[in-house]
Amino acid sequence: QVHLVQSGAEVKKPGASVKVSCNSSGYTLTTYYMHWVRQAPGQGPEWMGVINPSGSITTYSQKFQGRITLTRDTSTSTDYMELSSLRSEDTAMYYCARGSRRGAGIYNWFDPWGQGTLVTVSS
Amino acid sequence: QSVLTQPPSVSGAPGQRVTISCTGSSSNIGAAEDVHWYQQLPGTAPKLLIYNNNNRPSAVPDRFSASRSGTSASLAITGLQAEDEGDYYCQSFDRSLSDLVFGGGTKLTVL
């Protein structure tokens, strides 16, 4: 069974950076894209970016360009999302979500999702 | 303001049928971009309900169905059950933004 397990909740001060991890099991990490999506309290999800199966290419939403970095450690089947220059509006639940198989195109559905990592930005 | 527009809430009695609309534009649904639907139960992560407009993952009951026409899509739930209460989101790709986009979500209440 496919599982995505994320790191624990974080509390950060404005201006700081946060790095969230997502460990995959039950499938071969290098066969699938991995997306990152965030959801602010009471809001709909918001797509942040995607890393390709080999971990060599990233595509980011323009909204986060310059502040987000996605990386992949294939030796531990773990993906990472780092967001810098945090502000209060970045307080949200952050999810990793598996995308399509290699060769199937980047922009498809997400299945499954990790359990989420709550990031709180407060002074 | 979400790129895809959903009604904030819908409700129905157990056993009834409800539909949830998702309205886009010529740069996403109207451009024949596929629509996907997710269910988010309270305190949990979203779960895939429908992919590529009208396909159900094997574990999703056939009470859930969806369609796409023009610049809109809709999700139908028949035989409403108490455990269906939660939030539902549509998702597609927007060619103008070059982004994956979501609806603002619809809260389903089972009366």
Short mmCIF file of all heavy atoms in Angstrom, two decimals, chain B residues 4-75:
data_model
loop_
_atom_site.label_atom_id
_atom_site.label_comp_id
_atom_site.label_asym_id
_atom_site.label_seq_id
_atom_site.Cartn_x
_atom_site.Cartn_y
_atom_site.Cartn_z
N LEU B 4 -11.44 28.38 -10.05
CA LEU B 4 -12.63 27.56 -10.26
C LEU B 4 -13.65 27.90 -9.18
O LEU B 4 -13.30 27.94 -8.00
CB LEU B 4 -12.25 26.07 -10.21
CG LEU B 4 -11.16 25.63 -11.18
CD1 LEU B 4 -10.84 24.14 -11.00
CD2 LEU B 4 -11.56 25.92 -12.62
N THR B 5 -14.90 28.11 -9.59
CA THR B 5 -15.93 28.56 -8.65
C THR B 5 -16.87 27.43 -8.27
O THR B 5 -17.44 26.76 -9.14
CB THR B 5 -16.73 29.71 -9.28
OG1 THR B 5 -15.84 30.77 -9.61
CG2 THR B 5 -17.80 30.21 -8.32
N GLN B 6 -17.00 27.22 -6.97
CA GLN B 6 -17.93 26.23 -6.44
C GLN B 6 -18.91 26.90 -5.49
O GLN B 6 -18.56 27.91 -4.85
CB GLN B 6 -17.17 25.15 -5.66
CG GLN B 6 -16.18 24.35 -6.46
CD GLN B 6 -15.48 23.31 -5.59
OE1 GLN B 6 -14.25 23.26 -5.52
NE2 GLN B 6 -16.26 22.48 -4.91
N PRO B 7 -20.12 26.35 -5.33
CA PRO B 7 -21.02 26.89 -4.31
C PRO B 7 -20.44 26.61 -2.93
O PRO B 7 -19.84 25.56 -2.71
CB PRO B 7 -22.31 26.08 -4.53
CG PRO B 7 -21.87 24.83 -5.19
CD PRO B 7 -20.69 25.20 -6.03
N PRO B 8 -20.58 27.54 -1.98
CA PRO B 8 -19.98 27.35 -0.65
C PRO B 8 -20.55 26.15 0.10
O PRO B 8 -19.82 25.50 0.84
CB PRO B 8 -20.32 28.64 0.09
CG PRO B 8 -20.61 29.63 -0.97
CD PRO B 8 -21.19 28.86 -2.12
N SER B 9 -21.83 25.86 -0.13
CA SER B 9 -22.44 24.77 0.62
C SER B 9 -23.58 24.13 -0.15
O SER B 9 -24.21 24.78 -0.99
CB SER B 9 -22.95 25.28 1.97
OG SER B 9 -23.97 26.23 1.78
N VAL B 10 -23.81 22.87 0.13
CA VAL B 10 -24.98 22.13 -0.35
C VAL B 10 -25.41 21.22 0.79
O VAL B 10 -24.61 20.92 1.69
CB VAL B 10 -24.69 21.27 -1.61
CG1 VAL B 10 -24.31 22.14 -2.79
CG2 VAL B 10 -23.66 20.21 -1.33
N SER B 11 -26.67 20.80 0.76
CA SER B 11 -27.15 19.90 1.80
C SER B 11 -28.21 18.97 1.24
O SER B 11 -28.82 19.25 0.19
CB SER B 11 -27.72 20.68 2.99
OG SER B 11 -28.83 21.45 2.58
N GLY B 12 -28.41 17.86 1.92
CA GLY B 12 -29.42 16.90 1.52
C GLY B 12 -29.69 15.91 2.63
O GLY B 12 -28.83 15.72 3.51
N ALA B 13 -30.83 15.29 2.56
CA ALA B 13 -31.19 14.29 3.56
C ALA B 13 -30.57 12.94 3.20
O ALA B 13 -30.23 12.70 2.03
CB ALA B 13 -32.71 14.16 3.64
N PRO B 14 -30.43 12.07 4.17
CA PRO B 14 -29.90 10.73 3.87
C PRO B 14 -30.72 10.06 2.78
O PRO B 14 -31.95 10.13 2.77
CB PRO B 14 -30.04 9.99 5.21
CG PRO B 14 -29.96 11.07 6.24
CD PRO B 14 -30.65 12.26 5.62
N GLY B 15 -30.01 9.44 1.81
CA GLY B 15 -30.66 8.76 0.72
C GLY B 15 -30.92 9.63 -0.49
O GLY B 15 -31.17 9.12 -1.59
N GLN B 16 -30.85 10.96 -0.33
CA GLN B 16 -31.11 11.85 -1.44
C GLN B 16 -29.90 12.00 -2.35
O GLN B 16 -28.82 11.48 -2.08
CB GLN B 16 -31.52 13.23 -0.91
CG GLN B 16 -32.94 13.30 -0.40
CD GLN B 16 -33.38 14.73 -0.14
OE1 GLN B 16 -32.56 15.62 0.15
NE2 GLN B 16 -34.69 14.96 -0.23
N ARG B 17 -30.11 12.74 -3.46
CA ARG B 17 -29.05 13.02 -4.42
C ARG B 17 -28.72 14.51 -4.38
O ARG B 17 -29.62 15.34 -4.32
CB ARG B 17 -29.51 12.64 -5.83
CG ARG B 17 -28.52 12.96 -6.95
CD ARG B 17 -29.13 12.56 -8.30
NE ARG B 17 -28.18 12.68 -9.41
CZ ARG B 17 -28.03 13.77 -10.15
NH1 ARG B 17 -28.75 14.85 -9.89
NH2 ARG B 17 -27.14 13.78 -11.16
N VAL B 18 -27.40 14.82 -4.40
CA VAL B 18 -26.97 16.21 -4.46
C VAL B 18 -25.96 16.36 -5.59
O VAL B 18 -25.30 15.39 -5.99
CB VAL B 18 -26.35 16.70 -3.14
CG1 VAL B 18 -27.37 16.70 -2.01
CG2 VAL B 18 -25.11 15.89 -2.79
N THR B 19 -25.86 17.57 -6.11
CA THR B 19 -24.83 17.86 -7.11
C THR B 19 -24.04 19.09 -6.67
O THR B 19 -24.57 19.99 -6.03
CB THR B 19 -25.43 18.11 -8.50
OG1 THR B 19 -26.30 19.24 -8.44
CG2 THR B 19 -26.18 16.89 -9.00
N ILE B 20 -22.77 19.09 -7.04
CA ILE B 20 -21.87 20.20 -6.75
C ILE B 20 -21.27 20.67 -8.07
O ILE B 20 -20.68 19.87 -8.81
CB ILE B 20 -20.75 19.77 -5.79
CG1 ILE B 20 -21.34 19.33 -4.45
CG2 ILE B 20 -19.75 20.89 -5.59
CD1 ILE B 20 -20.34 18.69 -3.50
N SER B 21 -21.42 21.95 -8.36
CA SER B 21 -20.92 22.49 -9.61
C SER B 21 -19.53 23.07 -9.45
O SER B 21 -19.10 23.44 -8.35
CB SER B 21 -21.87 23.56 -10.15
OG SER B 21 -21.93 24.63 -9.22
N CYS B 22 -18.81 23.16 -10.57
CA CYS B 22 -17.46 23.71 -10.61
C CYS B 22 -17.37 24.49 -11.93
O CYS B 22 -17.36 23.89 -13.01
CB CYS B 22 -16.43 22.58 -10.57
SG CYS B 22 -14.71 23.07 -10.80
N THR B 23 -17.34 25.81 -11.82
CA THR B 23 -17.36 26.65 -13.01
C THR B 23 -15.99 27.26 -13.27
O THR B 23 -15.42 27.90 -12.39
CB THR B 23 -18.41 27.77 -12.86
OG1 THR B 23 -19.69 27.18 -12.61
CG2 THR B 23 -18.47 28.60 -14.13
N GLY B 24 -15.51 27.06 -14.49
CA GLY B 24 -14.20 27.58 -14.86
C GLY B 24 -14.31 28.58 -16.00
O GLY B 24 -15.26 29.37 -16.05
N SER B 25 -13.34 28.53 -16.91
CA SER B 25 -13.30 29.48 -18.02
C SER B 25 -12.65 28.83 -19.24
O SER B 25 -12.31 27.64 -19.22
CB SER B 25 -12.49 30.71 -17.61
OG SER B 25 -11.12 30.36 -17.46
N SER B 26 -12.47 29.64 -20.26
CA SER B 26 -11.90 29.14 -21.51
C SER B 26 -10.42 28.79 -21.39
O SER B 26 -9.85 28.22 -22.32
CB SER B 26 -12.08 30.18 -22.61
OG SER B 26 -11.47 31.39 -22.23
N SER B 27 -9.79 29.13 -20.26
CA SER B 27 -8.37 28.81 -20.10
C SER B 27 -8.16 27.54 -19.26
O SER B 27 -7.03 27.10 -19.09
CB SER B 27 -7.60 29.98 -19.46
OG SER B 27 -8.11 30.24 -18.17
N ASN B 28 -9.23 26.96 -18.77
CA ASN B 28 -9.08 25.72 -18.01
C ASN B 28 -10.11 24.68 -18.46
O ASN B 28 -9.88 23.98 -19.46
CB ASN B 28 -9.13 25.97 -16.50
CG ASN B 28 -10.20 26.97 -16.07
OD1 ASN B 28 -11.39 26.69 -16.18
ND2 ASN B 28 -9.78 28.15 -15.61
N ILE B 29 -11.24 24.58 -17.81
CA ILE B 29 -12.23 23.55 -18.17
C ILE B 29 -12.70 23.73 -19.60
O ILE B 29 -12.86 22.77 -20.36
CB ILE B 29 -13.42 23.57 -17.19
CG1 ILE B 29 -12.94 23.31 -15.75
CG2 ILE B 29 -14.44 22.49 -17.59
CD1 ILE B 29 -14.05 23.42 -14.70
N GLY B 30 -12.92 24.97 -20.00
CA GLY B 30 -13.38 25.27 -21.36
C GLY B 30 -12.35 24.95 -22.43
O GLY B 30 -12.70 24.84 -23.61
N ALA B 31 -11.10 24.79 -22.02
CA ALA B 31 -10.02 24.42 -22.95
C ALA B 31 -9.83 22.91 -22.96
O ALA B 31 -8.78 22.42 -23.40
CB ALA B 31 -8.72 25.12 -22.53
N ALA B 32 -10.82 22.20 -22.46
CA ALA B 32 -10.81 20.72 -22.43
C ALA B 32 -9.76 20.16 -21.49
O ALA B 32 -9.32 19.01 -21.66
CB ALA B 32 -10.65 20.15 -23.84
N GLU B 33 -9.35 20.95 -20.50
CA GLU B 33 -8.46 20.42 -19.46
C GLU B 33 -9.28 19.50 -18.55
O GLU B 33 -10.44 19.79 -18.23
CB GLU B 33 -7.83 21.54 -18.66
CG GLU B 33 -6.85 22.41 -19.45
CD GLU B 33 -5.59 21.66 -19.87
OE1 GLU B 33 -5.30 20.60 -19.28
OE2 GLU B 33 -4.89 22.13 -20.78
N ASP B 34 -8.66 18.40 -18.15
CA ASP B 34 -9.37 17.44 -17.31
C ASP B 34 -9.68 18.01 -15.93
O ASP B 34 -8.96 18.85 -15.40
CB ASP B 34 -8.52 16.17 -17.15
CG ASP B 34 -8.44 15.37 -18.44
OD1 ASP B 34 -9.45 15.31 -19.16
OD2 ASP B 34 -7.37 14.82 -18.73
N VAL B 35 -10.79 17.51 -15.35
CA VAL B 35 -11.23 17.93 -14.02
C VAL B 35 -11.16 16.73 -13.08
O VAL B 35 -11.54 15.61 -13.45
CB VAL B 35 -12.67 18.48 -14.06
CG1 VAL B 35 -13.11 18.90 -12.66
CG2 VAL B 35 -12.76 19.66 -15.03
N HIS B 36 -10.66 16.98 -11.88
CA HIS B 36 -10.55 15.95 -10.86
C HIS B 36 -11.27 16.44 -9.61
O HIS B 36 -11.36 17.66 -9.37
CB HIS B 36 -9.08 15.64 -10.56
CG HIS B 36 -8.22 15.62 -11.78
ND1 HIS B 36 -8.35 14.65 -12.76
CD2 HIS B 36 -7.25 16.46 -12.21
CE1 HIS B 36 -7.49 14.89 -13.74
NE2 HIS B 36 -6.80 15.99 -13.43
N TRP B 37 -11.77 15.51 -8.82
CA TRP B 37 -12.54 15.86 -7.62
C TRP B 37 -11.94 15.17 -6.39
O TRP B 37 -11.51 14.01 -6.46
CB TRP B 37 -13.99 15.43 -7.77
CG TRP B 37 -14.77 16.20 -8.79
CD1 TRP B 37 -14.87 15.94 -10.12
CD2 TRP B 37 -15.55 17.38 -8.54
NE1 TRP B 37 -15.68 16.88 -10.72
CE2 TRP B 37 -16.11 17.77 -9.79
CE3 TRP B 37 -15.86 18.14 -7.41
CZ2 TRP B 37 -16.95 18.88 -9.92
CZ3 TRP B 37 -16.68 19.24 -7.53
CH2 TRP B 37 -17.22 19.61 -8.78
N TYR B 38 -11.99 15.90 -5.26
CA TYR B 38 -11.46 15.38 -4.00
C TYR B 38 -12.49 15.54 -2.89
O TYR B 38 -13.26 16.51 -2.89
CB TYR B 38 -10.17 16.12 -3.60
CG TYR B 38 -9.09 16.02 -4.63
CD1 TYR B 38 -9.02 16.93 -5.67
CD2 TYR B 38 -8.16 14.98 -4.61
CE1 TYR B 38 -8.05 16.83 -6.65
CE2 TYR B 38 -7.18 14.87 -5.58
CZ TYR B 38 -7.13 15.80 -6.60
OH TYR B 38 -6.18 15.69 -7.58
N GLN B 39 -12.46 14.61 -1.95
CA GLN B 39 -13.27 14.67 -0.74
C GLN B 39 -12.33 14.90 0.44
O GLN B 39 -11.31 14.22 0.56
CB GLN B 39 -14.01 13.35 -0.56
CG GLN B 39 -14.81 13.24 0.72
CD GLN B 39 -15.26 11.80 0.98
OE1 GLN B 39 -14.44 10.90 1.12
NE2 GLN B 39 -16.57 11.60 1.03
N GLN B 40 -12.68 15.87 1.28
CA GLN B 40 -11.89 16.10 2.49
C GLN B 40 -12.80 16.01 3.71
O GLN B 40 -13.61 16.90 3.96
CB GLN B 40 -11.19 17.46 2.44
CG GLN B 40 -10.23 17.68 3.61
CD GLN B 40 -9.39 18.94 3.47
OE1 GLN B 40 -9.84 19.94 2.90
NE2 GLN B 40 -8.16 18.92 3.98
N LEU B 41 -12.67 14.93 4.43
CA LEU B 41 -13.45 14.75 5.66
C LEU B 41 -12.79 15.56 6.76
O LEU B 41 -11.60 15.85 6.69
CB LEU B 41 -13.53 13.27 6.01
CG LEU B 41 -14.18 12.39 4.93
CD1 LEU B 41 -14.17 10.93 5.33
CD2 LEU B 41 -15.58 12.86 4.61
N PRO B 42 -13.56 15.94 7.80
CA PRO B 42 -13.02 16.81 8.85
C PRO B 42 -11.72 16.30 9.45
O PRO B 42 -11.62 15.13 9.83
CB PRO B 42 -14.15 16.82 9.89
CG PRO B 42 -15.38 16.59 9.09
CD PRO B 42 -14.98 15.64 8.00
N GLY B 43 -10.71 17.17 9.48
CA GLY B 43 -9.43 16.85 10.10
C GLY B 43 -8.55 15.90 9.33
O GLY B 43 -7.57 15.38 9.88
N THR B 44 -8.88 15.66 8.05
CA THR B 44 -8.06 14.73 7.26
C THR B 44 -7.56 15.39 5.99
O THR B 44 -8.01 16.47 5.62
CB THR B 44 -8.85 13.47 6.88
OG1 THR B 44 -9.87 13.82 5.93
CG2 THR B 44 -9.50 12.82 8.10
N ALA B 45 -6.64 14.73 5.32
CA ALA B 45 -6.13 15.22 4.04
C ALA B 45 -7.14 14.94 2.94
O ALA B 45 -7.97 14.02 3.06
CB ALA B 45 -4.81 14.53 3.72
N PRO B 46 -7.11 15.70 1.87
CA PRO B 46 -8.00 15.41 0.73
C PRO B 46 -7.74 14.01 0.18
O PRO B 46 -6.62 13.49 0.25
CB PRO B 46 -7.61 16.49 -0.29
CG PRO B 46 -7.08 17.62 0.53
CD PRO B 46 -6.35 16.94 1.65
N LYS B 47 -8.80 13.42 -0.37
CA LYS B 47 -8.74 12.09 -0.95
C LYS B 47 -9.32 12.15 -2.36
O LYS B 47 -10.37 12.76 -2.58
CB LYS B 47 -9.53 11.11 -0.09
CG LYS B 47 -9.77 9.74 -0.71
CD LYS B 47 -10.85 8.99 0.08
CE LYS B 47 -11.44 7.86 -0.74
NZ LYS B 47 -12.62 7.25 -0.08
N LEU B 48 -8.64 11.50 -3.31
CA LEU B 48 -9.11 11.51 -4.69
C LEU B 48 -10.44 10.77 -4.81
O LEU B 48 -10.57 9.62 -4.38
CB LEU B 48 -8.07 10.85 -5.59
CG LEU B 48 -8.43 10.77 -7.08
CD1 LEU B 48 -8.47 12.17 -7.70
CD2 LEU B 48 -7.43 9.88 -7.82
N LEU B 49 -11.40 11.43 -5.45
CA LEU B 49 -12.74 10.87 -5.62
C LEU B 49 -13.02 10.52 -7.09
O LEU B 49 -13.58 9.47 -7.40
CB LEU B 49 -13.75 11.91 -5.14
CG LEU B 49 -15.07 11.50 -4.55
CD1 LEU B 49 -14.92 10.54 -3.40
CD2 LEU B 49 -15.84 12.75 -4.11
N ILE B 50 -12.65 11.42 -7.97
CA ILE B 50 -12.87 11.27 -9.40
C ILE B 50 -11.64 11.82 -10.13
O ILE B 50 -11.16 12.90 -9.77
CB ILE B 50 -14.11 12.07 -9.88
CG1 ILE B 50 -15.39 11.59 -9.21
CG2 ILE B 50 -14.23 12.03 -11.41
CD1 ILE B 50 -15.94 10.27 -9.73
N TYR B 51 -11.16 11.11 -11.13
CA TYR B 51 -10.06 11.63 -11.95
C TYR B 51 -10.45 11.64 -13.42
O TYR B 51 -11.32 10.87 -13.85
CB TYR B 51 -8.76 10.84 -11.72
CG TYR B 51 -8.80 9.40 -12.18
CD1 TYR B 51 -8.32 9.03 -13.43
CD2 TYR B 51 -9.32 8.40 -11.35
CE1 TYR B 51 -8.36 7.70 -13.85
CE2 TYR B 51 -9.36 7.08 -11.76
CZ TYR B 51 -8.88 6.73 -12.99
OH TYR B 51 -8.91 5.42 -13.42
N ASN B 52 -9.83 12.54 -14.17
CA ASN B 52 -10.12 12.67 -15.61
C ASN B 52 -11.61 12.73 -15.89
O ASN B 52 -12.15 11.96 -16.70
CB ASN B 52 -9.47 11.53 -16.39
CG ASN B 52 -7.97 11.72 -16.55
OD1 ASN B 52 -7.43 12.75 -16.14
ND2 ASN B 52 -7.30 10.74 -17.13
N ASN B 53 -12.27 13.68 -15.21
CA ASN B 53 -13.65 14.07 -15.49
C ASN B 53 -14.72 13.11 -14.96
O ASN B 53 -15.74 13.56 -14.42
CB ASN B 53 -13.87 14.25 -17.00
CG ASN B 53 -12.84 15.16 -17.60
OD1 ASN B 53 -12.61 16.26 -17.09
ND2 ASN B 53 -12.17 14.70 -18.65
N ASN B 54 -14.53 11.79 -15.14
CA ASN B 54 -15.61 10.88 -14.79
C ASN B 54 -15.15 9.47 -14.42
O ASN B 54 -15.93 8.51 -14.52
CB ASN B 54 -16.61 10.78 -15.96
CG ASN B 54 -15.93 10.37 -17.26
OD1 ASN B 54 -14.80 9.91 -17.25
ND2 ASN B 54 -16.61 10.56 -18.37
N ASN B 55 -13.90 9.35 -13.98
CA ASN B 55 -13.36 8.04 -13.62
C ASN B 55 -13.20 7.91 -12.10
O ASN B 55 -12.65 8.81 -11.45
CB ASN B 55 -12.00 7.83 -14.28
CG ASN B 55 -12.11 7.76 -15.78
OD1 ASN B 55 -12.45 6.73 -16.35
ND2 ASN B 55 -11.86 8.89 -16.45
N ARG B 56 -13.66 6.79 -11.57
CA ARG B 56 -13.58 6.55 -10.13
C ARG B 56 -12.43 5.59 -9.81
O ARG B 56 -12.33 4.53 -10.43
CB ARG B 56 -14.87 5.92 -9.61
CG ARG B 56 -15.97 6.87 -9.26
CD ARG B 56 -17.21 6.11 -8.75
NE ARG B 56 -17.80 5.27 -9.78
CZ ARG B 56 -17.71 3.94 -9.81
NH1 ARG B 56 -17.05 3.29 -8.86
NH2 ARG B 56 -18.29 3.26 -10.79
N PRO B 57 -11.58 5.95 -8.83
CA PRO B 57 -10.63 4.94 -8.33
C PRO B 57 -11.42 3.74 -7.82
O PRO B 57 -12.57 3.87 -7.41
CB PRO B 57 -9.91 5.66 -7.18
CG PRO B 57 -10.07 7.11 -7.51
CD PRO B 57 -11.41 7.23 -8.17
N SER B 58 -10.80 2.56 -7.82
CA SER B 58 -11.52 1.33 -7.52
C SER B 58 -12.17 1.33 -6.13
O SER B 58 -13.21 0.70 -5.92
CB SER B 58 -10.58 0.13 -7.65
OG SER B 58 -9.45 0.30 -6.82
N ALA B 59 -11.59 2.06 -5.17
CA ALA B 59 -12.12 2.02 -3.80
C ALA B 59 -13.27 3.00 -3.58
O ALA B 59 -13.89 2.99 -2.51
CB ALA B 59 -11.00 2.32 -2.81
N VAL B 60 -13.57 3.83 -4.56
CA VAL B 60 -14.64 4.83 -4.41
C VAL B 60 -15.98 4.23 -4.85
O VAL B 60 -16.08 3.70 -5.95
CB VAL B 60 -14.31 6.10 -5.23
CG1 VAL B 60 -15.49 7.07 -5.21
CG2 VAL B 60 -13.04 6.77 -4.70
N PRO B 61 -17.01 4.32 -3.99
CA PRO B 61 -18.32 3.73 -4.34
C PRO B 61 -18.92 4.38 -5.58
O PRO B 61 -18.66 5.55 -5.88
CB PRO B 61 -19.18 4.05 -3.11
CG PRO B 61 -18.24 4.43 -2.03
CD PRO B 61 -17.01 4.97 -2.67
N ASP B 62 -19.76 3.62 -6.28
CA ASP B 62 -20.37 4.14 -7.50
C ASP B 62 -21.50 5.13 -7.22
O ASP B 62 -22.18 5.59 -8.14
CB ASP B 62 -20.85 3.00 -8.40
CG ASP B 62 -21.88 2.11 -7.72
OD1 ASP B 62 -22.32 2.45 -6.60
OD2 ASP B 62 -22.23 1.07 -8.31
N ARG B 63 -21.70 5.48 -5.94
CA ARG B 63 -22.64 6.56 -5.60
C ARG B 63 -22.08 7.92 -6.05
O ARG B 63 -22.82 8.91 -6.13
CB ARG B 63 -22.87 6.61 -4.09
CG ARG B 63 -23.42 5.36 -3.48
CD ARG B 63 -23.79 5.53 -2.02
NE ARG B 63 -22.65 5.82 -1.15
CZ ARG B 63 -22.42 7.03 -0.63
NH1 ARG B 63 -23.20 8.04 -0.88
NH2 ARG B 63 -21.36 7.21 0.17
N PHE B 64 -20.77 7.95 -6.31
CA PHE B 64 -20.12 9.18 -6.73
C PHE B 64 -19.89 9.14 -8.24
O PHE B 64 -19.35 8.16 -8.77
CB PHE B 64 -18.77 9.35 -6.02
CG PHE B 64 -18.87 9.52 -4.53
CD1 PHE B 64 -18.85 8.40 -3.70
CD2 PHE B 64 -18.99 10.78 -3.97
CE1 PHE B 64 -18.96 8.56 -2.31
CE2 PHE B 64 -19.09 10.94 -2.60
CZ PHE B 64 -19.08 9.84 -1.76
N SER B 65 -20.31 10.20 -8.93
CA SER B 65 -20.09 10.29 -10.37
C SER B 65 -19.87 11.74 -10.73
O SER B 65 -20.18 12.65 -9.94
CB SER B 65 -21.27 9.72 -11.15
OG SER B 65 -22.45 10.48 -10.90
N ALA B 66 -19.32 12.00 -11.91
CA ALA B 66 -19.03 13.37 -12.31
C ALA B 66 -19.11 13.50 -13.82
O ALA B 66 -19.06 12.49 -14.56
CB ALA B 66 -17.66 13.80 -11.79
N SER B 67 -19.24 14.74 -14.28
CA SER B 67 -19.28 15.02 -15.71
C SER B 67 -18.66 16.38 -15.97
O SER B 67 -18.42 17.17 -15.05
CB SER B 67 -20.72 14.98 -16.21
OG SER B 67 -21.48 15.99 -15.56
N ARG B 68 -18.38 16.64 -17.24
CA ARG B 68 -17.80 17.92 -17.65
C ARG B 68 -18.49 18.35 -18.94
O ARG B 68 -18.72 17.52 -19.83
CB ARG B 68 -16.30 17.79 -17.90
CG ARG B 68 -15.59 19.08 -18.30
CD ARG B 68 -14.17 18.82 -18.76
NE ARG B 68 -14.14 18.13 -20.05
CZ ARG B 68 -13.02 17.80 -20.68
NH1 ARG B 68 -11.84 18.07 -20.14
NH2 ARG B 68 -13.06 17.18 -21.84
N SER B 69 -18.83 19.65 -19.01
CA SER B 69 -19.46 20.18 -20.22
C SER B 69 -19.15 21.66 -20.34
O SER B 69 -19.39 22.43 -19.40
CB SER B 69 -20.99 19.96 -20.16
OG SER B 69 -21.61 20.51 -21.29
N GLY B 70 -18.63 22.05 -21.51
CA GLY B 70 -18.31 23.46 -21.71
C GLY B 70 -17.27 23.95 -20.73
O GLY B 70 -16.20 23.34 -20.60
N THR B 71 -17.59 25.02 -20.01
CA THR B 71 -16.66 25.58 -19.03
C THR B 71 -16.98 25.13 -17.61
O THR B 71 -16.48 25.71 -16.64
CB THR B 71 -16.66 27.12 -19.08
OG1 THR B 71 -17.98 27.59 -18.84
CG2 THR B 71 -16.17 27.63 -20.43
N SER B 72 -17.81 24.09 -17.45
CA SER B 72 -18.19 23.64 -16.11
C SER B 72 -18.06 22.14 -15.96
O SER B 72 -17.99 21.39 -16.94
CB SER B 72 -19.65 24.03 -15.82
OG SER B 72 -19.80 25.42 -15.77
N ALA B 73 -18.04 21.73 -14.71
CA ALA B 73 -18.06 20.31 -14.35
C ALA B 73 -18.99 20.16 -13.16
O ALA B 73 -19.31 21.14 -12.48
CB ALA B 73 -16.66 19.83 -14.01
N SER B 74 -19.43 18.94 -12.92
CA SER B 74 -20.26 18.72 -11.74
C SER B 74 -20.02 17.34 -11.16
O SER B 74 -19.69 16.39 -11.87
CB SER B 74 -21.74 18.91 -12.08
OG SER B 74 -22.17 17.90 -12.96
N LEU B 75 -20.19 17.28 -9.85
CA LEU B 75 -20.06 16.04 -9.09
C LEU B 75 -21.44 15.69 -8.54
O LEU B 75 -22.13 16.57 -8.01
CB LEU B 75 -19.08 16.24 -7.93
CG LEU B 75 -18.95 15.09 -6.92
CD1 LEU B 75 -18.21 13.92 -7.54
CD2 LEU B 75 -18.24 15.57 -5.65
#
